[in-house]
Amino acid sequence: MSDYQPKILVFSSDKISDPAIDLAGLLKKHYSPKVYNITVPCTSSVKSRWILHAFEKGIDGVFIGSDGTDCPYRSDCSDLSSKVIEQTQEVMKERGINIARVKMAALCSVCADPFVNHMKNFSESLASLGNIKNETGQSNE
Amino acid sequence: MKKDLKQKIGVYICECGGNISDYVDVEKVAKAVENEPGVYLVQTTMFTCSDSAQIEIIEGIKENNLDSMVVASCSPKLHLLTFRDVAKRAGLNQYNYVHANIREQCSWAHSDRTEEATDKAVRLVRAAIAKVRLSESLETIEIEAKNVAAIVGAGVSGLRSAIDLADQGTQVYLIERDHFVGGRTAQWGKLFPTNEDGKELVERLYKQIKERENITVFTGADIQSLDGSVGDFKLGVKISPRHITGACDEETSDQLYKVCPQETDDEFNFGLTKRKAIYKNYKNAYPENPVVDMDLCDKCGECLKVTNSNINLEQEAENITLNVGAILLNTGFDPYEPKDGEFGYKTIDNVITLPQFRRLLDMSNGSLEYNGKSIRDIAYIYCVGSRQPDGENKHCSRYCCTSAIQSALNVKSKYSDVRNFHINRGIRTYGKQETCYVDSTKQGDVYLQFFEKSFPTLEKIGDKTIITLNDALTDNETMEVSADLVVLVTGMVPRKEDTVAGILKVPIGSDKFYNEIHTKLRPVETVIDGIFIAGACQSPKNIRATMASTLSATAKANSLISTGKIELEPIIATIDTNLCEWCGKCDELCSYNAFEKVEIDGKMVAQVNKAICKGCGACAPICEVNAINIIGSSDEEVEVMIDAFVKDVQFIEDHKAKEAEKTVGKTDDTEKLKKALPEIGKKILQSLESEAKSVPEIAADIQHPADDVLYYLMSLRKYGFVKETGEINDDEYYLYELKQ
């Protein structure tokens, strides 16, 4: 087990998964403080280039907290995100980045526990992969 | 395109009375962000949301001529609107304010690791600063709104809504697909708890509708199309004619039913009876005239021979367009229809559904019979089509336990020798409905219970159906119930023939019912501005809950359109027309038809209709030339936030100076702190001036909820305004007093 504390970028949706992350905090359920969240209207808007940008800059893993079927905009938003992730993973392969560094799961607006569990598991698996910079070829400075 | 970056940013970091500052060193955060590009001033405050802190921020922004602000405090779900208002009052554009959530997503989430929480808070605030630097002034999109509403569905929910909306001054079009109003409620007979007949309820509401000039009722009306957007929808409706053009009294109607040779299953009675091609749902159905079902009529002409029938079989359907500001959907539900063979449905002849049983009971007169056989023992099998372990209906339909038990009470009061056997999966007569369960046990009804792991089995032996189950209430003893009639207590499912959802693009949830924006916080609004949902089209509801939701939707709709103007968030998609080559992919994907193909500088490009676009952003990733960005979540904004998250945090370690500064601040500024207290804090202090009090006593004195009082009292204690007396009162609550 590595001691490395990976940085995780979360994309959450304003109406569904972001409230779940809020609820986790409200209930003082702890997860890694190296988790940073960007809230967008719907996670189907997350672009491949954002994910790749994050890896380039030293984020170790990107997690998309999708609305699943709860999405108020469209019920296929997770399918759309899946496609974006597939495309992103193609590029990641080319660049030698482990495709397990991007992950998506559906979170409902009260899914505090699932969110915390995802963060724990993702942190652990990313820790075992080690620093992203070993893959993107940047210096560890 | 190079933006003008914001140069004078005010950053306000909230302590939240210890909720943040106990875990996040806000002073360190302030220090760490003060040299970020564009930052002009950084302040920490005890309660940023308090009136006095708001005023201070506003004054600071004006004095220093700031051009933007960042507030780092609790979740924006709580105070985004508060601080947008602060920005506006300070003369800033409200979109030149960005919020950082350092409570729910930082201090509370990482209360176990305070140093790392502080580190994270710095990154979150920096990201907000980076984002606000890029922010542009945006104007809310203001559009005109027609104070006219279309209510779809004239069941009790739609009827109730129409009355209230009309009384609030809105012009109402009530649109019903059936030729009669009343929906499902008219079918149910006597209702819990007043024993009022559903038909009477409908009649009362309909009469009120008729008294109002600003309600127009359309029956036989089918929605065909929708154009426009909130405030200015154009709803295409096809009105099928009744084929009876003048008044048609009861006597004439009876004659018409008699002469008409065409017969079909009566849907109103769930196929228990037959009706003619000329029919009414029931005798006192409204509107009063019967209707001719042209799908069934073969124009034999018999009805035309009846005097004063006023029948015109050539009457044509009419297409109209209704121009409305808002649309309220009250389209209701369908009862679950069991599959053939499910608990003997359609394979055993004395198995019927609960809705059928309610019709049977309502129509029965003198004796209770089904298929010509008299009924004494009735077995009710619960949760049919609800709470399915394997099927797709996972939900509890909420109304069926009460409805089944109420039916058992109704049948027993009408036919005293009937015996009721309730074969259930746990009775859910929640709230006041528990009384009907008590009444039913008192009248001698028998309750048997099964679990989802072993469903009862049915077998027809002679005239009886034998139901065998392992009864959970008697340690899984095998029990047999011999019944003359088996009633399957079926739940609610979404409407099967729903044409409305497709045309209006109503979001559908995973349970296939209409989906609200937020199940708790915004339960009657959909993401489509101006389209509201209420009643059982959203989720299973009883009449009581239906009324509550429909009145809520009514109030929301009225407040949206009654001023004649609507403000919309300018958070929408933008197109870089230099890049766009119109491939049509965005248009194909958009659920709302927000894109238009237009010509700019000689080439075809996509254009976003501002009033229609919801800003969901689904179109942005599919654009191959990356021409689409969402305001507030543009590539640039997201990428600078990521950069801010990864940038190293180095604290300037000057403990001594800072500690000194902090002490000075705390002692000298007691008055300032006091001034910064929220209203409730001031009230608590005032209340304690006379004598020491417990939390419930303070709450009663200042008329605030005790949990609020406790929350603020703890902050006051932390900041040295109050202390415990060390005593408890007679109710065993601790007493608090002012700290001198």
Side-chain angles (χ1 to χ4, degrees):
Chain A
M1 189 76 232
S2 161
D3 285 339
Y4 180 64
Q5 265 205 56
K7 292 191 184 79
I8 298 176
L9 174 67
V10 173
F11 285 108
S12 66
S13 75
D14 189 40
K15 305 237 168 38
I16 308 286
S17 53
D18 188 48
I21 304 175
D22 276 356
L23 185 63
L26 183 69
L27 301 172
K28 303 225 167 141
K29 292 182 185 290
H30 303 308
Y31 51 92
S32 163
K34 296 231 183 302
V35 171
Y36 311 108
N37 172 28
I38 292 180
T39 305
V40 289
C42 168
T43 45
S44 66
S45 68
V46 173
K47 291 182 185 175
S48 215
R49 61 175 275 167
W50 301 350
I51 302 171
L52 296 169
H53 179 89
F55 291 140
E56 238 169 66
K57 293 293 170 161
I59 294 280
D60 297 294
V62 175
F63 180 87
I64 296 181
S66 159
D67 287 354
T69 47
D70 284 351
C71 179
Y73 295 103
R74 50 192 305 150
S75 55
D76 64 346
C77 80
S78 298
D79 300 339
L80 294 173
S81 291
S82 299
K83 280 185 199 142
V84 171
I85 289 176
E86 276 167 32
Q87 288 163 7
T88 312
Q89 286 177 328
E90 288 305 312
V91 183
M92 288 165 72
K93 276 184 211 159
E94 283 166 24
R95 296 188 186 176
I97 302 171
N98 194 314
I99 57 167
R101 290 187 183 273
V102 57
K103 196 171 153 53
M104 177 174 85
L107 293 174
C108 71
S109 63
V110 290
C111 285
D113 279 323
F115 171 73
V116 171
N117 288 335
H118 281 306
M119 287 306 108
K120 278 192 180 137
N121 296 335
F122 198 31
S123 291
E124 278 169 22
S125 71
L126 288 170
S128 63
L129 292 180
N131 194 323
I132 179 88
K133 288 177 182 171
N134 298 330
E135 291 173 27
T136 52
Q138 293 158 354
S139 73
N140 272 332
E141 285 310 301
Chain B
M1 208 165 30
K2 197 81 189 152
K3 282 181 181 175
D4 285 335
L5 297 179
K6 291 283 171 275
Q7 302 293 343
K8 293 182 90 175
I9 306 167
V11 181
Y12 303 92
I13 304 168
C14 185
E15 297 174 14
C16 194
N19 282 298
I20 293 170
S21 55
D22 282 356
Y23 314 108
V24 168
D25 189 332
V26 292
E27 300 299 333
K28 261 190 180 177
V29 176
K31 206 90 194 141
V33 301
E34 68 184 11
N35 291 324
E36 286 296 301
V39 172
Y40 186 82
L41 80 90
V42 183
Q43 265 175 18
T44 61
T45 50
M46 184 165 48
F47 288 106
T48 315
C49 59
S50 71
D51 284 348
S52 49
Q54 288 184 32
I55 291 167
E56 215 170 301
I57 293 173
I58 291 166
E59 283 168 359
I61 290 173
K62 285 183 179 164
E63 258 168 45
N64 298 299
N65 210 9
L66 302 184
D67 59 12
S68 54
M69 76 178 203
V70 166
V71 177
S73 67
C74 52
S75 165
K77 307 288 178 285
L78 294 167
H79 280 306
L80 185 83
L81 295 179
T82 311
F83 295 115
R84 275 191 178 176
D85 188 53
V86 167
K88 277 198 263 184
R89 279 150 60 208
L92 295 180
N93 180 282
Q94 60 176 333
Y95 296 98
N96 289 329
Y97 139 65
V98 170
H99 200 94
N101 179 350
I102 59 164
R103 192 177 75 177
E104 280 81 351
Q105 295 187 10
C106 188
S107 72
W108 281 349
H110 312 301
S111 56
D112 56 334
R113 292 145 96 170
T114 54
E115 266 181 39
E116 289 174 277
T118 304
D119 174 278
K120 177 171 174 177
V122 172
R123 294 168 194 263
L124 295 180
V125 178
R126 277 182 182 163
I129 292 167
K131 188 177 176 187
V132 88
R133 273 193 96 201
L134 294 168
S135 70
E136 286 181 84
S137 297
L138 300 173
E139 292 310 321
T140 48
I141 301 165
E142 194 175 90
I143 54 164
E144 303 245 324
K146 298 235 160 6
N147 192 9
V148 183
I151 297 175
V152 185
V156 286
S157 177
L159 292 168
R160 172 81 264 175
S161 181
I163 295 164
D164 279 73
L165 212 44
D167 286 352
Q168 289 170 62
T170 298
Q171 167 74 39
V172 177
Y173 296 121
L174 182 56
I175 300 166
E176 171 57 51
R177 184 167 63 178
D178 195 2
H179 285 280
F180 303 94
V181 303
R184 298 283 176 205
T185 302
Q187 296 177 292
W188 295 160
K190 289 189 166 147
L191 303 170
F192 172 85
T194 54
N195 277 332
E196 189 173 14
D197 195 299
K199 295 194 274 290
E200 290 166 27
L201 215 60
V202 171
E203 183 171 14
R204 268 207 280 161
L205 290 167
Y206 187 72
K207 287 195 166 154
Q208 290 183 57
I209 297 263
K210 287 280 114 187
E211 285 164 9
R212 284 159 176 78
E213 284 181 353
N214 53 351
I215 303 176
T216 313
V217 181
F218 297 103
T219 53
D222 244 327
I223 290 177
Q224 301 287 313
S225 62
L226 179 74
D227 279 320
S229 53
V230 60
D232 187 23
F233 290 112
K234 288 172 192 76
L235 202 56
V237 184
K238 180 181 169 192
I239 317 279
S240 305
R242 294 187 99 74
H243 300 283
I244 296 181
T245 51
C248 182
D249 61 27
E250 210 178 305
E251 205 181 317
T252 318
S253 304
D254 285 343
Q255 256 182 303
L256 289 171
Y257 308 146
K258 213 167 166 183
V259 299
C260 179
Q262 293 294 331
E263 207 176 53
T264 187
D265 279 350
D266 187 344
E267 306 91 338
F268 186 79
N269 293 328
F270 300 104
L272 292 178
T273 56
K274 299 280 182 193
R275 68 159 170 83
K276 294 297 182 65
I278 303 176
Y279 73 102
K280 279 182 83 168
N281 278 351
Y282 55 97
K283 198 174 147 204
N284 295 324
Y286 293 97
E288 290 84 347
N289 275 354
V291 63
V292 183
D293 176 356
M294 291 312 286
D295 290 339
L296 193 59
C297 173
D298 64 353
K299 297 193 179 176
C300 68
E302 286 300 319
C303 53
L304 298 171
K305 296 174 192 160
V306 175
T307 40
N308 291 333
S309 65
N310 287 324
I311 284 192
N312 173 5
L313 296 177
E314 306 308 321
Q315 212 181 351
E316 294 210 351
E318 208 184 326
N319 286 300
I320 57 169
T321 304
L322 301 174
N323 192 193
V324 301
I327 300 170
L328 294 89
L329 299 178
N330 298 267
T331 52
F333 69 99
D334 274 335
Y336 171 75
E337 166 121 31
K339 296 187 176 67
D340 289 359
E342 187 175 357
F343 295 108
Y345 184 70
K346 285 193 174 164
T347 52
I348 298 177
D349 59 6
N350 60 354
V351 174
I352 62 174
T353 65
L354 179 64
Q356 287 179 316
F357 180 60
R358 293 205 68 130
R359 292 308 311 138
L360 182 72
L361 185 58
D362 195 33
M363 291 185 293
S364 76
N365 202 357
S367 65
L368 186 64
E369 288 178 5
Y370 182 68
N371 276 347
K373 294 194 181 90
S374 139
I375 297 162
R376 185 157 174 260
D377 291 338
I378 305 173
Y380 305 84
I381 299 180
Y382 282 63
C383 299
V384 178
S386 301
R387 303 169 67 202
Q388 293 175 321
D390 301 321
E392 60 178 26
N393 302 331
K394 300 292 177 206
H395 60 268
C396 160
S397 289
R398 297 186 90 213
Y399 94 112
C400 5
C401 280
T402 307
S403 181
I405 296 172
Q406 180 67 23
S407 308
L409 292 172
N410 292 350
V411 69
K412 186 97 178 170
S413 72
K414 212 164 168 182
Y415 307 102
S416 59
D417 62 339
V418 158
R419 295 191 298 189
N420 294 311
F421 298 88
H422 301 267
I423 302 171
N424 65 83
R425 277 173 65 191
I427 293 294
R428 297 181 169 184
T429 47
Y430 57 94
K432 293 180 181 180
Q433 299 164 141
E434 183 70 4
T435 55
C436 78
Y437 171 62
V438 174
D439 290 345
S440 131
T441 55
K442 278 186 189 156
Q443 75 175 11
D445 285 9
V446 175
Y447 283 81
L448 300 147
Q449 197 169 321
F450 64 96
F451 288 130
E452 62 176 52
K453 281 178 190 142
S454 78
F455 283 104
T457 53
L458 284 78
E459 191 187 357
K460 184 87 193 267
I461 298 178
D463 279 349
K464 303 265 185 184
T465 294
I466 312 294
I467 300 141
T468 311
L469 76 150
N470 296 323
D471 176 37
L473 303 177
T474 49
D475 200 16
N476 287 327
E477 195 76 37
T478 303
M479 297 275 190
E480 286 185 353
V481 176
S482 164
D484 302 309
L485 185 70
V486 178
V487 177
L488 304 182
V489 180
T490 48
M492 293 181 177
V493 291
R495 288 270 185 194
K496 280 190 290 288
E497 286 174 28
D498 182 354
T499 49
V500 177
I503 294 167
L504 269 53
K505 303 192 191 304
V506 189
I508 306 287
S510 54
D511 56 3
K512 307 282 194 305
F513 285 94
Y514 293 173
N515 206 13
E516 63 287 324
I517 291 184
H518 189 281
T519 170
K520 293 179 178 65
L521 301 176
R522 298 175 74 181
V524 296
E525 294 158 272
T526 67
V527 284
I528 306 174
D529 294 305
I531 297 189
F532 300 87
I533 51 175
C537 63
Q538 178 191 25
S539 65
K541 288 187 185 68
N542 61 16
I543 297 172
R544 210 175 126 96
T546 292
M547 289 305 185
S549 81
T550 202
L551 290 175
S552 158
T554 303
K556 289 303 288 181
N558 180 263
S559 66
L560 178 74
I561 57 177
S562 59
T563 61
K565 283 205 171 91
I566 298 173
E567 283 195 350
L568 297 180
E569 283 261 356
I571 307 299
I572 54 168
T574 58
I575 309 275
D576 185 338
T577 49
N578 292 323
L579 296 174
C580 178
E581 298 288 345
W582 182 267
C583 64
K585 280 192 178 169
C586 50
D587 182 43
E588 211 173 287
L589 183 83
C590 180
S591 319
Y592 309 101
N593 290 342
F595 290 99
E596 283 161 44
K597 189 177 177 180
V598 296
E599 191 182 324
I600 291 180
D601 297 337
K603 71 165 179 172
M604 300 313 289
V605 293
Q607 192 173 58
V608 178
N609 184 327
K610 288 183 181 179
I612 295 178
C613 177
K614 304 288 159 263
C616 68
C619 55
I622 65 143
C623 179
E624 279 174 12
V625 293
N626 197 28
I628 307 178
N629 269 298
I630 304 301
I631 293 176
S633 308
S634 65
D635 293 343
E636 216 180 354
E637 285 162 305
V638 169
E639 286 166 11
V640 295
M641 287 179 80
I642 294 171
D643 296 350
F645 290 150
V646 296
K647 190 178 143 187
D648 276 342
V649 176
Q650 253 150 29
F651 294 112
I652 300 148
E653 293 299 337
D654 190 1
H655 283 302
K656 265 187 194 164
K658 212 173 66 200
E659 281 309 312
E661 190 186 315
K662 222 174 167 178
T663 344
V664 172
K666 285 271 151 31
T667 44
D668 279 2
D669 286 356
T670 315
E671 276 314 303
K672 200 178 160 195
L673 271 175
K674 214 167 179 172
K675 211 179 107 192
L677 283 177
E679 261 328 288
I680 177 167
K682 289 178 192 158
K683 281 189 192 165
I684 293 171
L685 293 183
Q686 227 165 27
S687 169
L688 290 176
E689 269 170 21
S690 52
E691 55 175 340
K693 287 192 180 82
S694 68
V695 172
E697 285 164 352
I698 300 170
D701 186 35
I702 66 169
Q703 310 224 325
H704 270 278
D707 52 342
D708 275 3
V709 168
L710 180 66
Y711 179 88
Y712 285 100
L713 189 74
M714 286 306 108
S715 301
L716 292 170
R717 178 174 164 275
K718 178 183 160 67
Y719 285 99
F721 290 108
V722 300
K723 64 179 171 67
E724 302 92 332
T725 63
E727 292 162 27
I728 53 169
N729 69 5
D730 295 342
D731 295 330
E732 304 201 321
Y733 287 111
Y734 288 102
L735 293 173
Y736 295 87
E737 63 185 359
L738 294 179
K739 197 168 172 181
Q740 296 311 324

